[in-house]
Amino acid sequence: MLESRRAVWLVLLSAGSAAVAAQSAAPPSSDALLDPVVVVAPLGGSGEPDRIPVDMQSASAGDFEALQAMDLSDFMNRSFGSVSINHAQNNPLQPDFNFRGFTASPLLGLPQGLAVYQNGMRVNESFGDAVNWDLIALSAVQEIQLLSGANPVFGLNTLGGALSVRMKDGFTFARNEAQVYAGSFGRMEGTAQFGGNDGRWGYYTNIDYFREDGWRDFSPSDALRWYGAVGWRGEDSTFDLSAAHVNSDMSGNGAAPVQLLREDWSAVFTHPDRTRNELTQVIAEASTQWAGWRVSGNVYLRQLNSDSFNGDGTVFEPCIEGGVEFLCEEDDDQPLRDQSGNAIPAELGDQSLDAINNISTRRQRSWGAAVQASAESQLSGGRRNSFTVGAAHAHTAASFAADVEVASLQPDRSTNRTGIFADELRTELGNGNRNWSLYFIDTLDLSDALTLTLSGRYDHTRISLRDHSLSSPELNGVHDWSAFKPAAGLSWRVSAQVRAYANWSQSARAPTAVELACADENAPCNLPNSFLADPPLQQVVANGFELGADGSASVGDRAARLNWHAGAFVTVNRNDILFQTTGGPQANVGFFQNVGDTRRAGIELRIEQSVGRVDWHVDYSAIAATFADQFIVNSANHPLIPDNEKLPVAKGSTIPAIPRHQFNAGVDIRFTDALTIGADIAYRSGVYLRGDESNLLEPTGGFGVVNLRAEFAVSQAVRVFARIENLFDRRYETFGVLGEPDEVFEEFDDPRFLGPAPPLGAWAGVRVRF
């Protein structure tokens, strides 16, 4: 659990801010959508939507409140197109987020393909490009924009899109507010936020506490998050300083054997599986007008400490030496040695050592700076030209340490502690990551109706690895990647109501430290804990093309305009990287490898309208995510492949874990000025299981989920609200993987593990403004 001392400190800090708020004569502000501009660069360069050749989905704080979403990923899953999440970890704070078949996940081992920025700072953790959604409290977010495509300007990892998150400050949130809700699964969340300004100086602070017991067995989690900001606004200049501190403790016990779930939907395979994150970060931003240019920049410091403890079935086998039974690695007759050099027995006391504890720590300190300048000019013939140029540098120093402790499974399938560690699987790795880049965007009106946008970015990335254990010198090395990636697009204003666009873009991501350190088929790693070798991997390069149109149409009353979007896209990843499992009870032993090209192609349709007291929206996406090359993959647990044989993957096979059909619809009805009731439905088609890249097994079932919500204004200052999720208590799964259930349940012979989704849940709360 979180340290009470930190909790008291954060509460006092927020209370102090409240005292300042009470003395401030700050004017009120609204949480309405900001001006409709597209963020076209990490530091907030903006352009009108009808001049930028991309699709953008955006939302603001008012939308988050109306939907009563739990976090950013939950909100986007229910209201944005081409978005889905899965329950690989079965923790609401650790979702796998997918957009157009590209992933932003907190889990090491997944091929990440989305860039996420918070106040202009990239928050993909450099060690594995992972995104920790638990570190961003939704209540402190002012606005988000999800941009589509392989936009090179947003840098590494922008293979499928970029998410820009702007946090609140004293100029966008100028009031005091508290909220609390509670309900199913022992879940409760409380938030207090205070903000204000005097026209020049502004302040904002937010403290958010979340806890739940979890709907599955042995799955408690909590998170304490603080965010604060001060800012200054001059005639032509701005300055903002923000800071955040987060402590989270999450239990995510992952997928479970299908035979176990038939007996008990809430059961877990083995436990515990805990991740603890501690984040401290500071970001300073400034902008000014100088010689006709808008110059902006930022500097940041970010420290993230992550500790994980994963109890699992054993990956070792008994072997005999001198008539005594010891533990050995698979296909090895040499006993494992502990930290003292002694052979590890197969039993300890009267208990078999039939389990392991994967224990790891990560320490990541990142710092960086960026600057960009934007200007507008009129060229010959009165043609408007907008130009932005920028540069950025980022550096991360990381350390990773991991141990594999032998253990015994207890009657409730938890693991005990023995203090006996497999010495040869101990890892101590140092990692340095440096990236510097130059980028530009030029938007030129070729005519009153046609706009051309050209952009590009040069990145140089250096990743250094150093074995601190002195037992794996093959890890030592320095790896460099350099590339210039361009983009070009046209936006055509067909009429006052219709805009069409086309865009070609290219982006890349360099292999991460976790991939480089686990890339040898002959030395597979126990993800994410044991690194043994670093054969070179090629960087992934994405080529994307998309076209679309959007606009509005009058339907009866002019105020009831129907807004629509239709588009199509295709993105091809060259030299994509895949984690190939070689075994493990939950398929977490394996290695990373370039497997050739992959392809994501799809269509997107979106309609929304406000009619009187009714707001509604519908969106549909069809995404075909396939392997574009034939290759051979390890699939140690596939039931149709004989032992020690590999699985041929045919060109055109569907990539696992990505639903082909995705549908969202929602409606909110304001029955009175005080009462609003809303509902939303999400449908996702089934997905193939990881480990079945050849699509030989049946996918998971498709599902539709209905959610309800209501809000009632008791007064201008007090609102009560309630929501129900999975109204019809539908049992469904969003994820699947092939594993080894017989390592724990000898009678289980079905290798399918599924990620079950939560059952019916209900919550109610109150929001007070003062």
Side-chain angles (χ1 to χ4, degrees):
M1 290 297 142
L2 302 170
E3 297 181 29
S4 59
R5 182 174 56 185
R6 286 196 178 99
V8 171
W9 176 76
L10 291 175
V11 170
L12 290 175
L13 180 58
S14 295
S17 299
V20 175
Q23 300 171 12
S24 175
S29 75
S30 170
D31 280 333
L33 269 173
L34 302 181
D35 293 337
V37 296
V38 180
V39 176
V40 296
L43 296 186
S46 60
E48 295 88 341
D50 64 357
R51 297 179 75 221
I52 307 301
V54 299
D55 180 40
M56 178 197 71
Q57 300 178 79
S58 64
S60 69
D63 301 310
F64 309 147
E65 281 189 4
L67 196 65
Q68 299 183 32
M70 202 198 76
D71 70 350
L72 280 175
S73 65
D74 177 47
F75 175 85
M76 291 186 286
N77 182 54
R78 293 163 60 185
S79 60
F80 279 9
S82 295
V83 167
S84 64
I85 61 176
N86 70 47
H87 299 86
Q89 282 297 97
N90 269 138
N91 185 295
L93 300 177
Q94 294 177 293
D96 283 350
F97 174 85
N98 292 281
F99 174 60
R100 288 188 171 183
F102 293 90
T103 300
S105 169
L107 303 182
L108 295 179
L110 294 184
Q112 311 280 351
L114 300 171
V116 180
Y117 284 84
Q118 179 183 0
N119 287 1
M121 177 190 67
R122 186 172 181 267
V123 297
N124 298 74
E125 309 300 344
S126 67
F127 192 69
D129 275 337
V131 177
N132 291 296
W133 299 102
D134 59 296
L135 302 180
I136 304 175
L138 182 62
S139 60
V141 176
Q142 175 59 34
E143 185 184 34
I144 59 173
Q145 292 188 350
L146 181 61
L147 285 82
S148 64
N151 190 333
V153 173
F154 284 90
L156 296 175
N157 228 55
T158 315
L159 306 182
L163 176 66
S164 175
V165 180
R166 294 300 306 182
M167 308 298 284
K168 292 176 180 176
D169 57 42
F171 300 94
T172 59
F173 188 95
R175 61 177 181 272
N176 308 319
E177 185 175 288
Q179 172 181 297
V180 64
Y181 75 83
S184 299
F185 320 140
R187 181 184 301 171
M188 66 83 60
E189 184 170 9
T191 300
Q193 51 186 332
F194 315 96
N197 69 82
D198 63 4
R200 292 182 66 83
W201 286 94
Y203 67 90
Y204 173 78
T205 190
N206 177 297
I207 184 169
D208 178 279
Y209 178 69
F210 170 93
R211 72 162 302 278
E212 71 166 23
D213 298 326
W215 70 270
R216 295 185 73 191
D217 298 338
F218 313 109
S219 298
S221 295
D222 61 13
L224 180 62
R225 299 173 283 208
W226 174 82
Y227 177 84
V230 294
W232 173 81
R233 300 291 182 267
E235 278 190 33
D236 296 317
S237 303
T238 67
F239 174 78
D240 292 278
L241 180 66
S242 63
H245 186 78
V246 178
N247 277 273
S248 63
D249 186 349
M250 300 168 290
S251 295
N253 289 306
V258 63
Q259 291 167 281
L260 178 62
L261 293 176
R262 288 174 186 154
E263 298 175 2
D264 184 355
W265 189 248
S266 63
V268 300
F269 182 51
T270 57
H271 68 99
D273 190 343
R274 298 178 63 183
T275 300
R276 295 178 177 176
N277 287 328
E278 181 180 17
L279 169 75
T280 302
Q281 72 179 32
V282 178
I283 308 172
E285 305 171 86
S287 67
T288 189
Q289 201 73 25
W290 178 73
W293 292 80
R294 187 67 184 177
V295 181
S296 55
N298 72 4
V299 294
Y300 65 86
L301 175 65
R302 179 180 172 91
Q303 173 78 41
L304 176 63
N305 299 330
S306 300
D307 301 303
S308 67
F309 186 100
N310 176 22
D312 204 353
T314 187
V315 295
F316 306 128
E317 295 181 345
C319 58
I320 304 295
E321 184 177 89
V324 179
E325 194 172 54
F326 295 96
L327 290 180
C328 293
E329 291 193 75
E330 188 175 0
D331 300 324
D332 190 355
D333 58 2
Q334 296 299 313
L336 289 167
R337 301 286 171 175
D338 64 18
Q339 62 269 37
S340 301
N342 301 315
I344 300 177
E347 292 186 359
L348 186 65
D350 59 352
Q351 289 189 317
S352 297
L353 295 177
D354 54 359
I356 58 172
N357 294 319
N358 294 311
I359 305 168
S360 68
T361 61
R362 276 175 281 162
R363 303 291 180 260
Q364 300 177 86
R365 173 170 292 182
S366 304
W367 58 94
V371 62
Q372 74 179 38
S374 304
E376 289 205 3
S377 59
Q378 297 287 329
L379 303 183
S380 59
R383 293 177 300 162
R384 181 182 172 193
N385 188 73
S386 305
F387 181 73
T388 297
V389 62
H393 175 77
H395 180 88
T396 298
S399 63
F400 179 90
D403 283 293
V404 177
E405 180 184 29
V406 296
S408 298
L409 276 177
Q410 305 303 297
D412 62 358
R413 296 190 300 284
S414 64
T415 58
N416 67 349
R417 299 299 306 272
T418 64
I420 302 174
F421 299 90
D423 188 62
E424 59 194 86
L425 298 183
R426 181 173 56 92
T427 299
E428 291 184 48
L429 181 70
N431 165 230
N433 190 323
R434 288 194 177 120
N435 174 266
W436 65 266
S437 58
L438 299 170
Y439 61 87
F440 75 92
I441 315 108
D442 188 72
T443 303
L444 171 65
D445 287 345
L446 301 178
S447 68
D448 290 341
L450 190 63
T451 299
L452 171 68
T453 297
L454 300 174
S455 61
R457 180 167 177 141
Y458 175 84
D459 276 288
H460 178 83
T461 301
R462 168 168 288 190
I463 296 178
S464 61
L465 300 174
R466 179 67 60 182
D467 170 45
H468 293 312
S469 71
L470 304 181
S471 60
S472 301
E474 64 273 18
L475 282 175
N476 297 328
V478 177
H479 308 263
D480 290 272
W481 293 270
S482 297
F484 173 78
K485 301 303 176 187
L490 288 170
S491 182
W492 177 30
R493 292 170 290 283
V494 181
S495 68
Q497 290 79 36
V498 179
R499 190 276 301 239
Y501 66 89
N503 182 52
W504 170 82
S505 57
Q506 194 176 78
S507 189
R509 84 168 178 90
T512 64
V514 67
E515 291 168 336
L516 289 168
C518 184
D520 189 344
E521 180 177 3
N522 298 314
C525 308
N526 192 8
L527 247 184
N529 301 297
S530 303
F531 299 141
L532 300 173
D534 65 335
L537 294 172
Q538 300 181 60
Q539 69 175 346
V540 181
V541 177
N543 287 275
F545 177 76
E546 64 180 291
L547 53 85
D550 46 47
S552 60
S554 297
V555 181
D557 184 356
R558 185 177 179 84
R561 299 185 71 84
L562 183 75
N563 299 314
W564 58 270
H565 168 79
F569 67 90
V570 58
T571 303
V572 176
N573 283 5
R574 293 205 317 264
N575 299 316
D576 217 345
I577 297 173
L578 178 71
F579 180 73
Q580 297 199 33
T581 179
T582 58
Q586 292 182 293
N588 59 346
V589 178
F591 61 98
F592 294 95
Q593 187 178 66
N594 292 109
V595 296
D597 296 353
T598 60
R599 183 176 182 268
R600 280 92 168 162
I603 59 171
E604 300 170 325
L605 304 171
R606 187 165 66 245
I607 307 173
E608 60 184 14
Q609 187 182 34
S610 293
V611 184
R613 291 181 173 270
V614 179
D615 300 329
W616 64 271
H617 75 91
V618 174
D619 62 66
Y620 168 76
S621 305
I623 300 172
T626 59
F627 295 105
D629 287 325
Q630 180 176 338
F631 65 100
I632 303 297
V633 67
N634 282 273
S635 188
N637 304 313
H638 203 290
L640 303 183
I641 303 299
D643 291 345
N644 301 318
E645 290 193 17
K646 296 187 178 182
L647 182 67
V649 179
K651 179 179 179 180
S653 298
T654 297
I655 299 173
I658 300 173
R660 180 177 290 264
H661 299 286
Q662 305 177 18
F663 172 85
N664 286 336
V667 61
D668 285 281
I669 303 174
R670 294 178 292 280
F671 286 93
T672 69
D673 290 342
L675 176 65
T676 299
I677 297 178
D680 59 84
I681 181 172
Y683 171 80
R684 304 291 184 265
S685 58
V687 299
Y688 286 102
L689 279 62
R690 289 179 185 154
D692 183 33
E693 283 73 18
S694 283
N695 308 158
L696 300 178
L697 305 176
E698 287 294 318
T700 63
F703 63 88
V705 179
V706 177
N707 307 308
L708 296 181
R709 57 187 175 275
E711 182 176 285
F712 181 75
V714 179
S715 67
Q716 287 189 339
V718 180
R719 292 176 179 266
V720 294
F721 57 89
R723 72 176 185 269
I724 300 174
E725 295 184 359
N726 195 358
L727 175 66
F728 299 108
D729 201 18
R730 175 77 184 275
R731 285 195 174 185
Y732 64 97
E733 58 278 339
T734 60
F735 169 80
V737 65
L738 297 178
E740 300 176 16
D742 55 356
E743 290 291 345
V744 175
F745 295 93
E746 293 183 2
E747 70 279 13
F748 284 4
D749 56 5
D750 191 330
R752 293 176 299 160
F753 283 61
L754 299 178
L760 170 72
W763 298 267
V766 60
R767 184 182 308 118
V768 180
R769 295 181 178 181
F770 51 91

